[in-house]
Amino acid sequence: QVQLVESGGGSVQAGGSLRLSCAASGRTFTMNSMGWFRQAPGKEREFVANINRNAGTTYYADSVKGRFTISRDNPRNTAYLQMNSLKPEDTAVYYCAGSSIYSTSTSQRIYPYWGQGTQVTVSS
């Protein structure tokens, strides 16, 4: 089993930045992919970004490309999401996810492991 715990959420004004962290524990050697998803009020959870084990491959949703950067520190079993130039429409609960499969698929179905989520609120 793998446990994921997010941190770093909060409130920020439009144009500001936040960095989310996702700390993994347990059978972390099984996780070839770590991803970030988000869910805004009244909307379905959507893909944000993912990264493969050696951090050589990343994939982003068009809505965040150029503003968000995903990274991971394998010795610390931690993934990060640096969010810059935040917009009010980025307001959501952000979830970290882990999978033994790396894919550019944006489907949630390939991720069996999920964190509890962290709230990000961007005011205009």
Side-chain angles (χ1 to χ4, degrees):
Q1 289 294 328
V2 174
Q3 295 77 42
L4 302 174
V5 179
E6 303 97 335
S7 61
S11 297
V12 65
Q13 289 190 328
S17 299
L18 284 173
R19 188 176 82 153
L20 305 183
S21 299
C22 173
S25 60
R27 298 170 60 87
T28 58
F29 60 89
T30 65
M31 290 204 302
N32 285 318
S33 173
M34 295 187 77
W36 288 94
F37 289 75
R38 66 186 182 186
Q39 187 168 20
K43 295 187 177 181
E44 295 186 352
R45 191 156 54 183
E46 64 176 5
F47 172 82
V48 174
N50 69 6
I51 187 168
N52 71 339
R53 171 171 290 277
N54 66 13
T57 302
T58 57
Y59 188 67
Y60 296 91
D62 288 342
S63 58
V64 306
K65 201 172 295 182
R67 300 187 298 123
F68 291 11
T69 302
I70 188 171
S71 61
R72 66 190 291 174
D73 184 339
N74 288 333
R76 289 186 169 85
N77 292 319
T78 302
Y80 304 96
L81 185 68
Q82 177 67 43
M83 306 185 294
N84 298 329
S85 301
L86 283 162
K87 304 175 181 179
E89 51 263 44
D90 294 318
T91 295
V93 177
Y94 283 71
Y95 297 90
C96 176
S99 174
S100 61
I101 302 168
Y102 180 77
S103 170
T104 56
S105 168
T106 60
S107 172
Q108 302 175 48
R109 297 177 183 176
I110 66 171
Y111 295 91
Y113 306 114
W114 291 85
Q116 81 289 350
T118 186
Q119 177 70 46
V120 171
T121 302
V122 185
S123 58
S124 58

